[in-house]
Amino acid sequence: MSEFEVPVLVTGSQGRRRRIGIMGGTFDPIHHGHLVAASEVLSVFNLDEVIFVPTGNQPYKQDRDVTLAEHRYLMAVATASNPRFSVSRVDIEREGTTYTIDTLRDLRRVYPDADFFFITGADVLPQILGWKNSDALWSMAHFVGVTRPGHQLDTAGLPPEGITLMEIPAMAISSTDCRNRVRSGIQPWYLVPDGVVQYIAKYRLYRADGNVGSDRMVVSDDVSARAVGSSGHGRDSHADLTGQRKG
């Protein structure tokens, strides 16, 4: 970690507030870099849980096609193999553009007594000052910027007490590279969870013919996975198997 570090490690779970990581992103597709980063942050900050939150309509990704939110959500459900990971539909079920301030407010209603740790790519951190209601964000969550080793980041203007930077070797994996591999006819084995590879193949996502997951979906109950809905209550979600974050 960098000089943007705070003493947050806590031992034991009795008599303390819940500590919840929130990993927002397009997850188009989710890959092992996301999962390793979430696992590392969970360990270092002694979190009780990490919630992956696939975005709905992002204001900063209008220059490319983004796979249907339902596809991205169901791929993220592959994280359910870790009992301390869950997936929320809060952003994809909210109408309109997805903003981080709205994500945090909605989850705060579900977890009123928890401390939030918002996990995002470190290269996104300098953009926060331009996000919607950015001044309010620092009081709502501690921001953890994950980055590949050796990446240099300009943190000018960001509050040191509100940010921690962590180097994660697996962050060298990118969703863009995964999509490009599929488009070139190469399956992204070992870059994404096996269930995601199978899901991409079944729904013919990211293919060179221009299919970006806009076809009608038929969802079966081949696999049962834990998810968190917009109500925030855990439930069983059945599916046939949470980039950069938004402002």
Side-chain angles (χ1 to χ4, degrees):
M1 289 188 292
S2 76
E3 68 275 11
F4 287 80
E5 187 171 11
V6 292
V8 293
L9 290 178
V10 178
T11 57
S13 58
Q14 299 299 321
R16 70 171 176 89
R17 291 162 59 91
R18 281 176 57 80
R19 302 164 69 82
I20 297 177
I22 300 168
M23 189 173 222
T26 310
F27 302 131
D28 194 15
I30 194 165
H31 55 67
H32 282 135
H34 297 127
L35 304 184
V36 172
S39 180
E40 288 293 303
V41 174
L42 184 146
S43 177
V44 169
F45 287 90
N46 195 24
L47 304 183
D48 296 290
E49 178 182 8
V50 174
I51 303 173
F52 292 78
V53 187
T55 60
N57 299 312
Q58 284 193 266
Y60 303 120
K61 295 222 170 175
Q62 304 297 326
D63 58 339
R64 74 166 178 86
D65 291 325
V66 176
T67 305
L68 281 178
E70 194 68 19
H71 281 304
R72 294 184 287 107
Y73 167 77
L74 290 174
M75 286 189 284
V77 167
T79 64
S81 59
N82 186 325
R84 295 170 74 182
F85 288 173
S86 61
V87 187
S88 173
R89 300 178 61 90
V90 65
D91 278 358
I92 64 175
E93 291 187 349
R94 187 191 312 108
E95 294 183 358
T97 303
T98 298
Y99 293 101
T100 298
I101 189 72
D102 299 322
T103 304
L104 293 176
R105 285 172 175 165
D106 286 350
L107 291 175
R108 176 57 66 199
R109 296 186 187 99
V110 179
Y111 304 100
D113 298 319
D115 292 326
F116 287 165
F117 297 79
F118 193 88
I119 308 165
T120 188
D123 55 342
V124 175
L125 292 177
Q127 304 172 21
I128 292 180
L129 297 177
W131 288 2
K132 178 182 176 182
N133 299 129
S134 61
D135 291 344
L137 294 174
W138 311 114
S139 64
M140 301 183 72
H142 183 79
F143 282 73
V144 183
V146 293
T147 183
R148 62 186 182 276
H151 180 70
Q152 299 298 313
L153 182 69
D154 180 9
T155 56
L158 300 176
E161 69 280 2
I163 297 173
T164 301
L165 301 181
M166 290 183 60
E167 290 189 347
I168 308 291
M171 290 307 293
I173 302 172
S174 75
S175 294
T176 299
D177 181 55
C178 293
R179 293 193 302 271
N180 288 340
R181 284 172 178 266
V182 176
R183 199 167 287 120
S184 300
I186 303 171
Q187 294 290 0
W189 290 108
Y190 313 115
L191 297 177
V192 305
D194 291 354
V196 174
V197 176
Q198 296 163 17
Y199 190 97
I200 290 171
K202 177 168 184 174
Y203 288 103
R204 301 169 63 87
L205 304 181
Y206 315 126
R207 293 169 59 89
D209 58 14
N211 186 338
V212 293
S214 57
D215 293 340
R216 176 178 176 273
M217 294 180 59
V218 178
V219 178
S220 68
D221 59 354
D222 296 341
V223 174
S224 177
R226 175 172 175 262
V228 175
S230 58
S231 65
H233 300 295
R235 69 172 186 268
D236 283 338
S237 174
H238 298 281
D240 56 350
L241 292 179
T242 358
Q244 302 300 332
R245 185 57 177 170
K246 75 289 186 199

